[in-house]
């Protein structure tokens, strides 16, 4: 059973459209939701959580979100980028207001997380560092036994060490507790470490939704001396770089000359696919 | 719903809510338009809504296991509770004033006395505030100023009307003014009408607010 299934999620704004986004998060998997700023990652997450009125169908562990909203929300833990709520309140005050909503709230588990994350409940939210805020949000989400974590850029604003620590915690949770995770980020190095699957969104549309390894195997990064070589090799999203030109190759590397082939990263795939996508749009509009 | 109400009381009430409740003692001020006391109650709602916005309370609450339409309902129920408390306090303070002050000092020369009719007038003011402010606020919870200014203008116009009525109509200046023990039946009718108006307007306000909030994108 899939932990999360999103079918044809659509939201139309005057300047942006989330266009029939469909993907799923497998149980016990970490799915990375990637895309550039403004691609629609946060809108997708808001649509899933029904923070915005979007068309489409969302189900969590087989339960339809709209029909069984309360039961579904019990299974979800939402972690935004830091904990931006109630800056003047203490963690204890927030926990006292939050915990009664969850019959499955486990106080000893919460206290265990507080001690593991070195959080002090008498502190106010504004006194926490960005990393601590994310950990507090995580402690709240996990203490009510969330089976699906939905995280909207939780690592943006964190230093590399804190990000590393955060990723370790998520990995541990998935391995030991079987939690499923949808992790939106534009810091792709985090996903290279922990993600099983990738959902790549660009300009409100899904460009790829597949296992990370499949995505990385599908593309190779090629460096060419001239633009003509790149065009002849049918490279995708060719752009000028320091020593010539660079583009993605997809299943067309056999017998290729005049090119240096290296493994693609999520970053390089995003950069070149975005460029190709943009050029395609320009071509259409012209 | 109970958890939502508790959450509202723990995290969303601005301290002025309690300070302005104590303004019920203003009924001891001689020759003062006592209806203004109810405006302070409206002002505390404005401050609480500001605090709600600054705390990111609405997006936070929407991720909790609650139905979206319950969020405005819980917020409004807490406000209704506070409004009932201010009406009760004004009633109690007015009764104390009536018991300990001579009639010359109890009688209000600038508006209605601190009697049952004042509570009825206050209920009408608060009902109109609820109808004017909340449906507009829950349409765009980030925009608090415009709904409040519009509601505040209406409230002050209504207070002015009550003061004018006190001066130009014998019903208000004599029958409904003064101690509760005089013309008690007429005063009770005014109170019941005021409360009925409050209940109807607040219920309509609730319905509209819940409907508007369903369409809000956070």
């Amino acid at each position: 059973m899939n932990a999360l299934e999103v079918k044809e999620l659509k939201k139309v704004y005057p300047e942006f459209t989330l266009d029939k986004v469909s993907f799923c998060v497998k149980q016990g998997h970490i799915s990375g939701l990637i895309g550039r700023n403004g691609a629609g990652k946060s809108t997708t997450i808001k649509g899933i959580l029904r923070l915005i009125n979007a068309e489409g169908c969302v189900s969590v562990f087989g339960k339809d979100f709209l029909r069984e909203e309360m039961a579904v929300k019990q299974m979800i833990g939402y972690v935004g980028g830091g904990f931006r709520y109630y800056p003047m309140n203490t963690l204890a005050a927030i926990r006292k207001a939050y915990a009664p909503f969850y019959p499955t709230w486990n106080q000893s588990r919460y206290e265990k997380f507080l001690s593991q994350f070195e959080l002090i409940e008498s502190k106010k939210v504004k006194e926490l560092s960005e990393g601590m805020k994310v950990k507090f949000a995580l402690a709240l989400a996990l203490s009510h036994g969330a089976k699906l974590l939905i995280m909207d850029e939780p690592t943006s604003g964190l230093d590399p060490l804190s990000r590393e620590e955060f990723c370790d915690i998520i990995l541990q949770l998935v391995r030991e507790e079987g939690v499923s995770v949808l992790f939106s980020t534009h810091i792709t190095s985090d996903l290279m470490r922990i993600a099983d699957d990738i959902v790549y969104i660009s300009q409100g549309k899904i460009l790829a939704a597949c296992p990370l390894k499949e995505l990385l195997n599908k593309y190779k990064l090629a460096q060419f001396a001239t633009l003509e070589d790149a065009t002849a090799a049918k490279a995708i999203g060719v752009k000028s770089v320091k020593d010539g030109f660079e583009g993605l190759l997809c299943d067309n590397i056999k017998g290729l000359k005049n090119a240096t082939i290296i493994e693609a990263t999520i970053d390089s795939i995003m950069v070149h696919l975005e460029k190709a996508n943009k050029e395609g749009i320009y071509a259409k509009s012209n | 719903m109970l958890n939502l109400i508790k959450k509202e009381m723990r995290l969303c009430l601005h301290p002025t809510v309690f300070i302005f409740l104590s303004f019920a003692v203003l009924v001891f001020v001689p020759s003062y338009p006592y209806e203004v006391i109810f405006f302070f109650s409206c002002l505390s709602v404005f401050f609480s809504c500001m605090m709600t916005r600054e705390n990111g309370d609405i997006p936070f609450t929407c991720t909790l296991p609650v139905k979206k339409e319950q969020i405005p309902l819980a917020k409004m129920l807490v406000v209704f509770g506070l409004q009932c408390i201010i009406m009760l306090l004004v009633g109690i303070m007015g009764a104390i004033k009536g018991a300990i002050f001579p009639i010359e000092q109890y009688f209000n020369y600038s508006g209605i006395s601190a009697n049952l009719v004042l509570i009825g007038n206050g209920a009408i003011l608060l009902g109109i505030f609820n109808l004017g402010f909340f449906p507009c606020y829950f349409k765009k919870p980030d925009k608090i100023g415009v709904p409040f200014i519009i509601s505040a203008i209406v409230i002050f116009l209504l207070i002015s009307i009550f003061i004018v009525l006190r001066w130009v109509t014998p019903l208000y200046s004599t029958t409904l003014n003064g101690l509760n023990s005089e013309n008690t039946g007429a005063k009770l009718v005014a109170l019941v009408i005021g409360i009925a108006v409050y209940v109807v307007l607040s219920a309509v306000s609730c319905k509209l607010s819940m409907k508007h909030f369903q369409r809000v994108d956070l």
Side-chain angles (χ1 to χ4, degrees):
Chain A
M1 184 189 285
N2 287 322
L4 172 69
E5 276 184 32
V6 180
K7 283 180 195 161
E8 304 205 329
L9 198 65
K10 185 177 178 184
K11 176 71 186 173
V12 180
Y13 290 109
E15 287 151 6
F16 174 78
T17 301
L18 189 70
D19 195 4
K20 294 186 176 176
V21 164
S22 299
F23 64 91
C24 61
V25 177
K26 289 177 188 153
Q27 195 168 352
H29 276 221
I30 300 176
S31 290
L33 181 60
I34 58 168
R36 64 184 302 173
N37 292 336
K41 300 188 295 292
S42 295
T43 309
T44 302
I45 287 180
K46 284 180 177 178
I48 292 169
L49 294 169
R50 299 289 162 188
L51 296 179
I52 56 172
N53 293 294
E55 295 168 30
C57 180
V58 175
S59 62
V60 176
F61 291 101
K63 290 187 174 177
D64 183 77
F65 198 109
L66 280 183
R67 265 180 287 171
E68 297 176 76
E69 186 175 351
M70 305 287 260
V72 166
K73 281 182 167 177
Q74 291 282 351
M75 292 191 279
I76 293 177
Y78 171 69
V79 181
F83 190 87
R84 292 184 290 253
Y85 313 108
Y86 312 108
M88 302 300 284
N89 288 92
T90 61
L91 308 191
I94 294 166
R95 187 258 305 161
K96 280 177 192 164
Y98 181 89
F101 286 95
Y102 298 94
T104 52
W105 179 262
N106 186 333
Q107 183 60 23
S108 59
R109 191 173 154 84
Y110 171 73
E111 282 162 13
K112 194 193 95 183
F113 282 121
L114 283 189
S115 124
Q116 185 186 339
F117 299 159
E118 296 172 352
L119 288 162
I120 300 162
E121 259 208 321
S122 57
K123 276 194 173 183
K124 289 180 178 175
V125 171
K126 67 170 185 175
E127 293 166 353
L128 300 181
S129 66
E130 286 305 308
M132 290 303 222
K133 284 179 188 168
V134 175
K135 285 177 183 173
F136 177 58
L138 204 54
L140 287 179
L142 295 170
S143 301
H144 69 79
K147 292 177 187 167
L148 170 67
L149 285 181
I150 296 181
M151 304 196 287
D152 190 5
E153 306 204 6
T155 52
S156 46
L158 300 192
D159 62 76
L161 279 176
S162 301
R163 283 194 353 242
E164 182 87 1
E165 195 185 356
F166 180 80
C167 290
D168 288 342
I169 294 166
I170 298 299
L171 263 185
Q172 188 190 352
L173 285 168
V174 172
R175 283 177 187 157
E176 292 177 8
E177 321 259 343
V179 171
S180 313
V181 181
L182 176 65
F183 187 153
S184 140
T185 184
H186 54 257
I187 306 171
T188 53
S189 57
D190 296 340
L191 295 178
M192 289 294 276
R193 283 194 55 225
I194 62 169
D196 299 298
D197 306 303
I198 290 292
V199 178
Y200 176 23
I201 189 165
S202 175
Q203 293 169 356
K205 289 180 183 166
I206 296 286
L207 283 193
C210 59
L212 173 61
K213 283 179 187 168
E214 189 183 313
L215 184 75
L216 294 177
N217 288 336
K218 186 176 176 184
Y219 297 103
K220 299 289 176 200
L221 188 64
Q223 290 172 340
F224 304 91
T226 65
L227 184 59
E228 288 72 29
D229 289 341
T231 312
K234 293 179 183 168
I236 302 164
V238 177
K239 67 189 285 288
S240 172
V241 291
K242 191 178 166 190
D243 299 321
F245 294 87
E246 201 176 74
L248 282 184
L249 293 177
C250 176
D251 303 328
N252 50 351
I253 55 172
K254 283 178 187 170
L256 191 69
K257 291 170 187 173
N258 306 326
T260 311
I261 309 291
I262 57 171
E263 293 298 322
T265 60
I266 303 177
D267 271 346
S268 58
I269 292 170
M270 270 177 68
V271 166
H272 293 286
L273 287 186
E274 284 289 338
K275 190 160 193 318
N277 200 18
K278 199 173 174 183
E279 283 165 356
I281 285 163
Y282 284 154
K284 273 180 208 166
S285 62
N286 291 334
Chain B
M1 181 52 70
L2 193 62
N3 287 332
L4 263 179
I5 290 171
K6 281 183 188 167
K7 191 223 72 181
E8 286 300 314
M9 294 173 74
R10 276 183 200 277
L11 299 176
C12 298
L13 290 185
H14 194 270
T16 53
V17 165
F18 305 102
I19 296 168
F20 288 151
L21 280 180
S22 70
F23 279 23
V25 295
L26 285 175
V27 296
F28 288 100
V29 176
S31 295
Y32 183 74
Y34 298 135
E35 281 92 348
V36 172
I37 295 167
F38 299 102
F39 172 74
F40 288 114
S41 174
C42 304
L43 195 58
S44 69
V45 173
F46 171 71
F47 287 134
S48 292
C49 289
M50 291 269 277
M51 199 164 131
T52 293
R53 184 179 66 184
E54 304 318 321
N55 281 340
D57 173 75
I58 289 179
F60 176 79
T61 311
C62 278
T63 63
L64 296 173
V66 292
K67 288 191 177 293
K68 200 171 174 184
E69 67 266 23
Q70 289 178 337
I71 295 170
L73 182 61
K75 286 187 180 295
M76 293 175 75
L77 286 177
V78 171
V79 170
F80 297 163
L82 290 165
Q83 290 174 342
C84 289
I85 291 172
I86 190 72
M87 286 190 269
L88 194 67
L89 286 175
V90 167
I92 292 169
M93 293 298 161
I96 293 170
K97 188 182 177 188
I100 61 175
F101 281 79
I103 180 67
E104 302 80 41
Q105 287 181 30
Y106 180 79
F107 202 84
N108 188 0
Y109 293 95
S110 66
I112 205 86
S113 300
N115 57 20
L116 294 174
V117 183
L118 174 67
I119 303 171
N121 288 355
I124 293 171
L125 287 170
L126 294 174
I128 285 179
F129 172 79
N130 292 343
L131 186 64
F133 179 75
F134 287 113
C136 204
Y137 166 64
F138 282 111
K139 221 180 229 177
K140 287 181 182 172
D142 283 344
K143 307 278 181 197
I144 310 161
V146 172
F148 180 73
I149 288 169
I150 293 169
S151 309
I153 290 170
V154 174
I155 291 286
F156 276 109
L157 279 175
L158 207 59
I159 290 173
S160 310
I161 290 169
F162 284 135
I163 293 170
V164 170
L165 284 174
R166 152 74 178 84
W167 286 103
V168 300
T169 65
L171 176 71
Y172 264 81
S173 59
T174 52
T175 316
L176 298 178
N177 212 350
L179 286 165
N180 285 328
S181 53
E182 298 162 0
N183 303 312
T184 309
K187 288 187 172 93
L188 273 174
V189 169
L191 173 68
V192 170
I193 290 172
I195 289 173
V197 169
Y198 174 76
V199 169
V200 170
L201 295 184
S202 300
V204 173
S205 166
C206 255
K207 197 94 180 158
L208 287 174
S209 301
M210 288 162 76
K211 192 177 153 193
H212 289 172
F213 190 65
Q214 279 287 10
R215 293 198 287 259
V216 169
D217 288 331
L218 297 165

